[in-house]
Amino acid sequence: MLPEIEGFFRTDKLPHMWCPGCGNGIVLHGLVKAIAELGLDKNKVTIVSGIGCSARAAAYLDFDTVHTTHGRALAFATGIKLARPELNVFVLMGDGDCSAIGGNHLIHAARRNIDLTALVFNNSIYGMTGGQASPMTPSGKRATTAPTGTLERSFDLCELARAAGATMVGRATAFHTRLLTGLLVKGHRNKGFSLVEVITQCPTAYGRRNKMGQPADMLRWQKEHAVDIKAARNMDSGQLQDKIIIGELHRSTAPELTTRYRQLIQELREGGGFLD
Ligand SMILES: Cc1ncc(C[n+]2csc(CCOP(=O)(O)OP(=O)(O)O)c2C)c(N)n1
């Protein structure tokens, strides 16, 4: 392990529980590299996760970590950020965690523009519970709950977050790790709600069922299907079919909720109360 990140891991908790070839370790490496690059005080970094294989990452990280309940990571993170705005809060969620049971929390965290950096591990499936379809399982792909391929359309989570009010949105893949780190750095520097989606491979519950080959083949698939946003702007919808658009996809400015909240407290203190 590189010396600059070794201190960020609870090495006594290793070996991890992820399957051979799982992309979660690559994504976690991208995150700790971003934290190292940002030069954050280790004692001011808080990691909040939900429940799932990816959410288990919180157990391996040596920061203040909260491994919460399925779909509620953003609710816990919101409380932490309101109470302790000086903390740097990263929220780790699986695609099921974030877009199904936690979907409502996602849109409202984005709408409120709370200064959190959400990292969504999108392996296109419910990994931990054995491969049920999630709202981000691509149409036609197989899952235990869709043995002949799901009939549903999948969410574009980045578009959803942008439409709900997120002020920074980006997408990378487990193959594009430097991009992932760069997006997390930008996401953290954005004073508001940032969402970074990373397409990652689950060879066991998704790849095997969808005949995607070995983990290295799944990484190659990511490489071959990814199109940078700058190139994508010059491509039509036909050319972009089945492609994954990566890069910084959206940036905007809006008031950040916890800052406004602090200001209100200050104003009320100075003004003597609620009633004139
Ligand atoms: C309230 C609640 N509902 C359901 C579950 C069961 N459960 C645990 S993990 C999980 C799905 C995890 O999938 P995802 O969030 O995509 O993460 P992954 O395991 O793929 O990383 C489910 C349904 C639970 N623990 N709590």
Side-chain angles (χ1 to χ4, degrees), residues 24 51-55 70 94-98 101 123 125-129 134:
N24 288 348
I51 296 289
C53 294
S54 46
H70 191 46
D95 50 290
D97 201 359
C98 178
I101 192 169
N123 61 5
I125 204 89
Y126 281 11
M128 180 165 263
T129 42
S134 94

Side-chain angles (χ1 to χ4, degrees), residues 206-225:
Y206 183 76
R208 201 164 41 107
R209 199 164 275 118
N210 286 290
K211 302 198 173 13
M212 293 190 74
Q214 298 293 316
D217 299 317
M218 295 184 79
L219 280 165
R220 197 169 301 112
W221 184 93
Q222 292 167 18
K223 178 188 172 203
E224 286 166 1
H225 286 77

Side-chain angles (χ1 to χ4, degrees), residues 98-114:
C98 178
S99 71
I101 192 169
N104 215 22
H105 292 277
L106 170 70
I107 58 174
H108 294 291
R111 177 179 63 84
R112 292 170 178 145
N113 195 31
I114 304 171

